[in-house]
Amino acid sequence: MLKNLDITPEDPDELRAVNRLLADEVKSQALLIKKLKHQLAGQNRHRFGVRSESMDQLNLTFEEDEAIAEAASEQTQPETPSVEDKPPRQHSRKPLPDHLDRHEEVLSPGEDCTRCGGKLKTLGEDITEELEYVPGRFVVNRIVRPRKACGGCEAIVQSPLPSRPIERGKPGPGLLAHVLVSKYADHLPLYRQSQIYAREGIDLDRSTMADWVGRSTALLEPLADEIGRMVRRGDALFADDTPVKMQAPGQKKTKTARVWTYVRDERPWSGSSPPCAWYQFTVDRKGQHPVSHLAGYKGWVHADGYSGFNGLFGHDKADEMACMAHVRRKFVDVFASQGNAIAEEAIRRIAELYALEKDARGKAPETRVALRQARATPVFDDLEAWLHAQLPKISGKSPLAQAIRYALGRMPKARPYLENGHLELDNNTAERAVKPVAIGRKNWMFAGSEGGGKAMAIAFTLIETAKLNKVDPQAWLTWVLAKIADHKITRLDELLPWRYAAQAA
């Protein structure tokens, strides 16, 4: 810019002009350096920070999710045998190892014939073995069903095989629950589980377990739907989404899908409803998805500034509560990269609001409103006025100016919490709910198909809801899977985790 300029003029006016040009050049370069340092600091935190959510390389879980999706589809389809049907998929049906403990149960039809009253004679018996998992070890349940004949009328009778989660399969409910929790709570892909079980002398192929996962999640889907309905009955909920990789149909490359979470948690204001987390999987991030998920909902939705949520809000729709944690995060990024005093002061002022929330936590809504009106409203108002005063003092293109403009745009939508005790200052409840997905994708990496993503959402709904209620998800799912095949769909509320906790207490 200055290379063709004579920088040694003697005329005072020319000297002043050169000085202005130099000052403008220095200011422009300083702004560029500040912007690049801010971007570099953000990239370093994203790549190396403890909260990094960067995508890992692809691995073998494509095949697992494809098998899970196929099994889930088969589980929900009625059996229609036909000579033209394709042959059923073959899974490992090797005998269960002899070294495992056997727990035998005899299901006898009795000693007397129910038809004529004659004595029954044993003709033989059918033995069904199912592999079961109790915490810490495998066992085999032997179900013995003697076949008996009546000495009087020659009728042959046998007790029916009790309902099981997977018909014609070998897994017991405890083993199915263990596989689900290991994959979706402990983030162990099925091929790793297969390797672990092999060290215990158990030959379980991952294709077999993928079939179990698909059929189990299909069986449990109505229960996950019931949790979703409970979430949408609340006065307020928390919404967020996070990306996951999904294999593009018919291609080796991947596309970015989304997992959405909607959480109802009334514990901060001593509400009566148990906390619930509902997950949904979609192949993209279009705004039509949250609108569809929350169709008809007219309560409050805590959300970040993603424009895809905008369709939720408006006349005769839901109301928006913005997230102050996102506002604070913008200033933290600026302070971490530049050490800026204005950013530091903004962080300090926002921290005052959070300090007041500690006193409000767990209190009744009307008490929370009174406390906020008396102590938080002045701090909130001063922060907003102070930010307006700082904006003209700094370059409009700087990261700090961008952070201030973002804050001023979101604060009017965060203000409702001051007058509503059912609301929170931020959306951290939903952000905590998506963390298991972020952790999991570092292990199972991605969804192998849309069907696999749906199974994942069902599993997360059940497991994370149990964890929110301080219920052991494996124990609860074992209990549910032992009952759900025969349970009336109109009484699903009897199977929810807090009902199990009350019964087990």
Side-chain angles (χ1 to χ4, degrees):
M1 179 178 177
L2 301 175
K3 62 183 180 179
N4 296 323
L5 205 125
D6 183 359
I7 59 172
T8 57
E10 296 181 358
D11 183 77
D13 292 336
E14 291 182 1
L15 285 171
R16 281 191 288 272
V18 170
N19 185 58
R20 284 194 297 272
L21 287 173
L22 288 171
D24 290 343
E25 179 78 3
V26 170
K27 183 177 180 181
S28 175
Q29 291 180 350
L31 182 61
L32 178 60
I33 291 171
K34 185 182 294 185
K35 180 178 180 180
L36 292 174
K37 287 175 66 177
H38 178 73
Q39 292 176 349
L40 179 61
Q43 288 295 323
N44 284 338
R45 283 194 301 278
H46 178 74
R47 184 175 181 184
F48 302 112
V50 294
R51 298 182 62 186
S52 168
E53 296 184 0
S54 61
M55 297 298 176
D56 292 299
Q57 62 183 5
L58 305 182
N59 68 10
L60 300 173
T61 53
F62 274 149
E63 298 176 17
E64 291 182 4
D65 264 14
E66 289 174 348
I68 288 170
E70 185 176 350
S73 177
E74 290 179 2
Q75 179 72 11
T76 57
Q77 297 297 321
E79 294 188 13
T80 54
S82 169
V83 294
E84 297 180 359
D85 286 347
K86 64 179 182 179
R89 289 180 296 146
Q90 298 298 315
H91 299 292
S92 173
R93 292 292 184 266
K94 297 178 182 178
L96 296 176
D98 293 334
H99 71 273
L100 296 179
D101 292 339
R102 257 68 177 173
H103 295 171
E104 188 166 295
E105 178 184 7
V106 179
L107 302 179
S108 174
E111 300 298 328
D112 299 322
C113 178
T114 57
R115 182 184 300 177
C116 70
K119 291 297 182 180
L120 297 176
K121 299 178 181 179
T122 301
L123 300 178
E125 62 184 17
D126 289 336
I127 298 177
T128 302
E129 290 194 336
E130 70 177 18
L131 183 63
E132 182 62 295
Y133 184 85
V134 297
R137 62 194 177 95
F138 288 94
V139 298
V140 175
N141 291 334
R142 283 170 53 88
I143 303 172
V144 180
R145 296 181 298 133
R147 294 188 306 278
K148 295 188 176 184
C150 176
C153 66
E154 298 184 352
I156 297 176
V157 294
Q158 184 181 40
S159 295
L161 191 66
S163 296
R164 303 156 75 199
I166 298 178
E167 297 298 334
R168 298 186 304 278
K170 287 186 176 181
L175 178 55
L176 293 174
H178 181 64
V179 171
L180 285 171
V181 171
S182 295
K183 178 172 175 63
Y184 295 110
D186 301 328
H187 313 298
L188 284 172
L190 298 181
Y191 75 91
R192 292 187 193 167
Q193 293 188 49
S194 180
Q195 294 168 351
I196 293 170
Y197 303 150
R199 294 198 293 268
E200 300 183 41
I202 308 298
D203 184 8
L204 285 181
D205 189 83
R206 64 177 181 166
S207 65
T208 299
M209 288 188 287
D211 184 76
W212 295 351
V213 170
R215 293 180 183 276
S216 297
T217 52
L219 190 63
L220 294 165
E221 184 177 4
L223 191 56
D225 291 341
E226 177 64 17
I227 291 173
R229 286 188 286 271
M230 286 198 64
V231 168
R232 288 168 286 175
R233 293 188 196 118
D235 294 325
L237 59 82
F238 303 83
D240 201 2
D241 68 296
T242 192
V244 292
K245 290 294 185 182
M246 186 188 83
Q247 185 179 22
Q251 302 180 38
K252 293 184 178 180
K253 64 180 182 180
T254 62
K255 60 183 295 185
T256 300
R258 311 298 293 193
V259 173
W260 307 79
T261 185
Y262 306 97
V263 184
R264 177 183 180 182
D265 190 350
E266 300 179 356
R267 291 174 296 181
W269 50 272
S270 298
S272 59
S273 175
C276 307
W278 182 45
Y279 294 78
Q280 292 287 281
F281 177 86
T282 62
V283 297
D284 54 45
R285 203 192 185 195
K286 293 179 180 177
Q288 67 193 44
H289 299 306
V291 172
S292 173
H293 298 156
L294 300 182
Y297 182 73
K298 297 180 181 180
W300 287 89
V301 177
H302 297 73
D304 58 25
Y306 169 51
S307 61
F309 288 122
N310 291 346
L312 296 172
F313 312 121
H315 176 67
D316 205 30
K317 295 182 179 180
D319 294 307
E320 181 179 9
M321 173 62 201
C323 175
M324 283 299 291
H326 279 78
V327 171
R328 179 182 182 276
R329 199 169 299 156
K330 299 287 186 183
F331 292 109
V332 170
D333 290 343
V334 172
F335 181 73
S337 63
Q338 302 174 13
N340 186 282
I342 294 177
E344 184 179 22
E345 176 63 14
I347 295 169
R348 186 193 67 77
R349 288 171 178 257
I350 295 172
E352 289 185 35
L353 295 174
Y354 275 94
L356 295 173
E357 283 303 291
K358 290 182 179 180
D359 295 336
R361 190 158 305 277
K363 293 182 170 60
E366 56 274 15
T367 304
R368 286 157 63 89
V369 170
L371 186 151
R372 289 167 174 172
Q373 288 289 305
R375 298 168 58 189
T377 298
V379 177
F380 195 98
D381 292 342
D382 287 348
L383 171 62
E384 195 168 24
W386 179 79
L387 289 173
H388 275 294
Q390 302 310 306
L391 193 56
K393 302 177 182 179
I394 59 178
S395 170
K397 296 182 179 180
S398 67
L400 177 60
Q402 294 173 11
I404 293 177
R405 284 194 294 269
Y406 177 83
L408 293 175
R410 297 300 290 165
M411 288 184 70
K413 296 178 180 180
R415 184 176 287 276
Y417 95 101
L418 295 168
E419 300 175 351
N420 190 325
H422 299 91
L423 302 181
E424 288 290 282
L425 182 58
D426 57 39
N427 194 35
N428 286 350
T429 299
E431 293 199 1
R432 287 192 294 270
V434 298
K435 275 188 177 181
V437 183
I439 295 171
R441 69 183 175 220
K442 291 179 173 296
N443 293 274
W444 38 256
M445 311 304 178
F446 49 81
S449 67
E450 185 175 359
K454 180 180 177 181
M456 172 181 61
I458 292 169
F460 273 124
T461 296
L462 301 171
I463 290 170
E464 296 305 317
T465 296
K467 288 164 62 177
L468 282 173
N469 288 275
K470 302 187 184 307
V471 172
D472 177 1
Q474 183 167 312
W476 170 58
L477 286 175
T478 300
W479 180 75
V480 168
L481 286 166
K483 292 175 173 289
I484 197 167
D486 294 325
H487 200 81
K488 291 184 179 180
I489 199 163
T490 56
R491 293 162 47 195
L492 285 172
D493 61 300
E494 297 175 359
L495 299 180
L496 292 168
W498 44 91
R499 300 292 290 271
Y500 165 77
Q503 177 178 301

